[in-house]
Amino acid sequence: MHREFNSQVVDTPPPHRARYGQLERSSRRLMPLRTVALVTAVFAIGVLVGLVYNSRFSGQLGPGHQLGATPAESPTASPTASPTTGATQPSLPASTPKVVRRPSAPASAPASRPAFADDFAADPVGANLPSGWHAGDGQWDGVVNSGGTHQLRHSAAAGASHLWAGSAQWSDYSVSADVTTGLLGLGFAGVSGRYQDPANGYECGVGLGSQLQLWLVKDGVRTLLGASGVSLDLTAHHAVALDLRGGRLTCSLDGAPLVHATDSTFGSGRFALVTSAGEAAEFGNVRVSG
């Protein structure tokens, strides 16, 4: 039997004819499938290329941008990891709030270097108390004209008296004053350093028996830290000075350091002029230096 397949004449037994005819029909059916597969592959490649391009473009966003959900879409989004360092970066809010900076409380300024000078020349005669001074206790006669200069007077009729100035923060300094005293029986006149109040501080001055004395006064109890006999002209001024450097205390008269002691009861405090009850004394030329 003769039959034409693909413009060819083939003479074969019946079984082969049937098998050959089936192969031809299969090849015809495969042609559309191959076309569909080719179109699908081209489309898939296009999608992949688009995804790669978009990922590269998104990775090159400028400063202030970030990948993923926008702040408006997820205002409470959890922090995301940095792609380069792995550190956690919080999502930016939809709008950056304005930062309000409040002025910080001023830091405590350190105490100034101790420096003070007063000869009472700026105070009128009769001024009581002189400007810049504060009464701790007792009574003063005020500013007087003595020998052509202004002096601060304490009379023999007055009780124990303290007149203070300066800063409670002062620690290491030297205080001095010119003192004229009658040195009556139990009298004392001089200066006080690291003065807390009339019952607490250090005192250096001239007193009973023509001595230069250094006292610790704590809670009203007086403890003599040292004394030195001196020869005094009771008609003249004598410079009494107390120097405080840490726990080292030095009491001087007319520039000569005569009494030394060590004590750390008080670490800082003001300075004062001090007299005992019944002591007639005058003070001038008060100086404090660091």
Side-chain angles (χ1 to χ4, degrees):
M1 178 177 180
H2 296 278
R3 189 173 180 179
E4 184 176 332
F5 291 89
N6 296 335
S7 302
Q8 296 181 8
V9 179
V10 180
D11 187 7
T12 61
H16 296 284
R17 272 201 313 273
R19 187 178 297 114
Y20 191 84
Q22 291 173 357
L23 290 174
E24 181 184 18
R25 285 194 299 272
S26 298
S27 64
R28 289 177 180 177
R29 286 196 302 268
L30 289 174
M31 289 299 294
L33 294 177
R34 290 175 180 174
T35 303
V36 172
L38 179 60
V39 171
T40 301
V42 171
F43 178 78
I45 292 172
V47 171
L48 291 175
V49 171
L51 290 176
V52 171
Y53 176 80
N54 288 336
S55 65
R56 290 182 178 178
F57 178 79
S58 299
Q60 297 175 352
L61 292 176
H65 298 78
Q66 71 179 72
L67 300 178
T70 63
E73 294 172 342
S74 57
T76 60
S78 59
T80 57
S82 170
T84 57
T85 64
T88 300
Q89 303 285 344
S91 299
L92 294 175
S95 60
T96 303
K98 181 179 180 181
V99 178
V100 179
R101 299 188 180 276
R102 300 182 182 277
S104 58
S108 298
S112 59
R113 183 184 179 93
F116 183 93
D118 194 356
D119 58 6
F120 307 110
D123 296 291
V125 173
N128 194 7
L129 301 167
S131 177
W133 292 85
H134 309 272
D137 62 350
Q139 180 63 45
W140 298 80
D141 291 349
V143 177
V144 298
N145 188 336
S146 178
T149 62
H150 284 193
Q151 302 284 315
L152 178 66
R153 176 174 292 172
H154 180 269
S155 70
S161 303
H162 294 78
L163 193 68
W164 62 267
S167 169
Q169 304 301 316
W170 289 356
S171 56
D172 291 356
Y173 59 90
S174 178
V175 52
S176 66
D178 290 345
V179 181
T180 303
T181 177
L183 282 181
L184 298 177
L186 298 177
F188 178 90
V191 295
S192 176
R194 294 179 183 168
Y195 170 87
Q196 314 294 310
D197 54 52
N200 294 277
Y202 297 110
E203 296 179 357
C204 169
V206 289
L208 177 65
S210 296
Q211 288 185 330
L212 182 68
Q213 302 170 343
L214 176 59
W215 294 88
L216 164 65
V217 185
K218 180 173 174 56
D219 298 330
V221 178
R222 298 175 64 84
T223 302
L224 186 63
L225 298 179
S228 175
V230 293
S231 177
L232 295 176
D233 179 358
L234 299 183
T235 64
H237 298 298
H238 297 279
V240 176
L242 174 60
D243 186 71
L244 309 108
R245 305 293 163 182
R248 294 181 292 108
L249 314 176
T250 303
C251 185
S252 303
L253 181 66
D254 294 330
L258 301 178
V259 182
H260 304 274
T262 300
D263 187 86
S264 57
T265 302
F266 303 111
S268 63
R270 304 174 178 91
F271 66 93
L273 306 178
V274 55
T275 63
S276 63
E279 179 60 53
E282 293 180 355
F283 296 83
N285 195 30
V286 182
R287 296 288 183 270
V288 178
S289 59

